[in-house]
């Protein structure tokens, strides 16, 4: 058992609540968003609400390491329950506890500023529990290392569908700053219930983290083409029905991948709007005024995407609803099958990345994928 510092008092957390009732720390937006994600993960079996609140009550934000230490403790409790359930041959309960342990270990690696040994311990625990979950799943999942460059590989989890005939695969991406382990909780249930296989990929590769220097000169688009090559050679995969889903709303990396490889059957991403928005922002900061036609630049990326395209966003996200609506109107006029769905505050899933209700957003996303991939099967 890993040794930790002593428990912290709840009064030191200084948690407040916003006008929607969500817990928040005014000076730690990163932890506020992370705790919202933890609570929302309960809907998919990735956490329990009571464990989240109990762990929060022990965290002292005045301590640099308290957040990570307390989530590790909660993760280890779930992992111990999983191991005991495995010994008793209670595999369903074991899987449920490993899934929750994976989420809690993931929470422990999120905030910056922790010691490297604590980070490494949490990452190892997260991957250990995710692998145990995959091994006991029916059908069992697999861990793959997909070659990218001469010295870099992409680590991936493959969760095959229970159907034996050639079927569709959803590729979901953990972009820099994220981990593929989180994607299992978010997407596996939605994929499995629809007969999809799921491939969760770390852009970080097989390392704990890749420095910008190591990534320099390596195009993300080429990495996704390697993923397609890998999947196309696997048994049980319909290579004409491989879709890609971005994990974040600011997912222009995935948009560029879909634009560069016509083999994708469908794509859920931001269609390049975030890249264009950032360029416009930097132009203004440099005193050069508003960059003309930033929406047109985003549309240039979407024009290059041949497959069906879905963009989802929240009314309470980083981009103004008016700009998103304008982009959506243009998108539907220039692409044969593209649409933007804007979630309103009144229905939830309206925060950045839909973190307040990922279940609602993923139901919409996977229904859309099911419709497009079913149509693709009929055409093949």
């Amino acid at each position: 058992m890993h040794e930790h510092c002593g428990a912290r008092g709840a009064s030191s957390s200084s948690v407040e609540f916003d006008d929607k009732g969500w817990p928040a720390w005014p000076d730690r937006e990163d932890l506020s968003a992370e705790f919202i994600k933890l609570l929302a993960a309960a809907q998919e079996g990735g956490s329990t609400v009571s464990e989240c609140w109990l762990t929060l009550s022990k965290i002292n934000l005045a301590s640099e390491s308290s957040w990570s230490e307390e989530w590790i403790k909660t993760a280890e409790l779930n992992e111990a329950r999983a191991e005991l359930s495995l010994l008793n041959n209670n595999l369903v309960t074991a899987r449920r506890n490993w899934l929750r342990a994976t989420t809690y270990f993931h929470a422990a690696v999120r905030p910056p500023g922790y010691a490297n040994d604590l980070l490494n311990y949490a990452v190892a625990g997260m991957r250990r529990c995710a692998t145990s979950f995959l091994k006991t799943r029916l059908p069992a999942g697999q861990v793959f290392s997909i070659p990218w460059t001469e010295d870099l590989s992409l680590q991936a989890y493959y969760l095959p569908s229970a159907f034996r005939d050639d079927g569709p695969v959803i590729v979901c991406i953990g972009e820099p700053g994220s981990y593929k382990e989180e994607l299992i909780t978010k997407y596996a249930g939605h994929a499995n219930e629809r007969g999809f296989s799921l491939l969760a990929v770390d852009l970080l590769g097989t390392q704990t983290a890749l420095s910008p220097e190591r990534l320099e000169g390596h195009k993300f688009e080429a990495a996704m083409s390697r993923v397609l090559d890998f999947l196309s050679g696997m048994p049980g995969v319909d290579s004409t029905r491989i879709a890609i889903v971005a994990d974040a709303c600011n997912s222009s990396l995935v948009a560029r991948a879909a634009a560069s490889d016509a083999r994708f059957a469908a794509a859920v991403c931001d269609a390049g709007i975030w890249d264009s928005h950032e360029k416009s922002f930097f132009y203004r900061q440099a005193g050069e005024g508003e960059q003309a036609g930033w929406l047109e630049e985003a549309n240039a990326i979407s024009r290059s995407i041949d497959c069906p395209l879905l963009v989802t966003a929240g009314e309470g996200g980083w981009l103004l609803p008016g700009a998103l609506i304008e982009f959506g109107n243009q998108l539907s006029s220039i692409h044969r099958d593209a649409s933007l769905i804007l979630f309103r505050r009144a229905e939830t899933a309206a925060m950045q990345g839909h973190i307040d209700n990922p279940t609602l957003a993923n139901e919409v996303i996977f229904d859309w994928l099911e419709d497009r991939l079913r149509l693709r099967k009929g055409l093949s």
Side-chain angles (χ1 to χ4, degrees), residues 217-236:
H218 299 312
K219 288 184 176 294
F220 175 78
E221 297 89 324
M224 290 303 97
S225 291
R226 300 291 85 75
V227 169
L228 281 170
D229 294 341
F230 181 83
L231 282 174
S232 297
M234 287 184 59

Side-chain angles (χ1 to χ4, degrees), residues 335-349:
H335 195 288
R336 60 184 175 83
D337 184 4
S339 57
L340 181 143
I341 297 176
L342 182 62
F343 289 86
R344 300 291 184 175
R345 289 185 177 89
E347 62 178 331
T348 72

Side-chain angles (χ1 to χ4, degrees), residues 19-294:
D19 57 356
K20 302 295 188 300
W22 287 107
W25 297 272
D27 57 343
R28 292 302 303 268
E29 292 184 8
D30 57 338
L31 297 187
S32 301
E34 190 61 31
F35 191 70
I36 290 172
K37 289 168 63 177
L38 283 160
L39 289 175
Q43 300 170 177
E44 305 289 358
S47 68
T48 66
V49 173
S50 294
E51 283 180 320
C52 289
W53 282 113
L54 179 61
T55 305
L56 179 67
S57 73
K58 301 174 182 178
I59 294 172
N60 175 11
L61 292 184
S63 165
E64 181 181 285
S65 59
S66 179
W67 171 277
S68 296
E69 289 169 349
E70 296 303 333
W71 287 114
I72 286 174
K73 290 178 184 178
T74 303
E76 289 176 334
L77 286 172
N78 280 265
E79 185 178 14
R81 285 198 296 264
E83 297 294 341
L84 180 60
S85 298
L86 178 65
L87 287 175
N88 294 327
N89 204 34
N90 301 131
L91 297 184
V92 172
T93 299
R95 285 195 296 268
R96 291 168 67 92
N97 278 274
W98 274 317
L99 195 62
R100 294 198 297 269
T102 300
T103 300
Y104 299 140
F105 275 125
H106 179 269
V109 307
R110 297 299 292 166
Y114 36 68
N116 285 335
D117 59 341
L118 201 59
L119 166 64
N120 293 334
Y121 184 86
V123 169
M126 175 179 68
R127 291 180 172 166
R128 181 176 62 248
C129 291
T131 301
S132 295
F133 171 82
L134 291 177
K135 287 180 178 178
T136 56
R137 181 182 178 269
L138 296 174
Q142 296 172 274
V143 181
F144 290 126
S145 184
I146 302 174
W148 178 6
T149 68
E150 289 183 0
D151 62 337
L152 293 176
S153 295
L154 300 171
Q155 191 177 82
Y157 294 147
Y158 183 63
L159 287 71
S161 166
F163 296 91
R164 293 189 177 276
D165 58 337
D166 287 353
V169 179
I170 309 300
V171 178
C172 53
I173 309 299
E175 297 188 13
S178 182
Y179 291 87
K180 65 186 177 304
E181 286 76 16
E182 183 183 19
L183 306 179
I184 295 177
T185 301
K186 291 182 66 174
Y187 298 132
H190 295 279
N192 185 59
E193 290 171 348
R194 292 168 174 81
F196 299 159
S197 296
L198 185 76
L199 186 78
V201 183
D202 258 345
L203 185 57
L204 295 172
T206 55
Q207 312 298 317
T208 299
L210 291 176
S211 65
E213 291 76 18
R214 289 200 69 195
L215 287 172
E216 187 176 359
H218 299 312
K219 288 184 176 294
F220 175 78
E221 297 89 324
M224 290 303 97
S225 291
R226 300 291 85 75
V227 169
L228 281 170
D229 294 341
F230 181 83
L231 282 174
S232 297
M234 287 184 59
V237 172
D238 182 348
S239 61
T240 68
R241 291 191 291 159
I242 300 175
I244 188 168
V245 175
D247 179 43
C249 183
N250 52 327
S251 52
S252 295
L253 287 175
V254 169
R256 291 197 297 272
S260 68
D261 200 315
R263 290 178 291 173
F264 284 111
V268 182
C269 59
D270 78 344
I273 191 172
W274 185 252
D275 270 1
S276 301
H277 172 75
E278 282 192 320
K279 289 179 182 178
S280 177
F281 173 80
F282 287 126
Y283 270 91
R284 293 196 305 272
Q285 293 296 104
E288 299 181 23
E290 181 75 28
Q291 182 191 16
W294 70 278

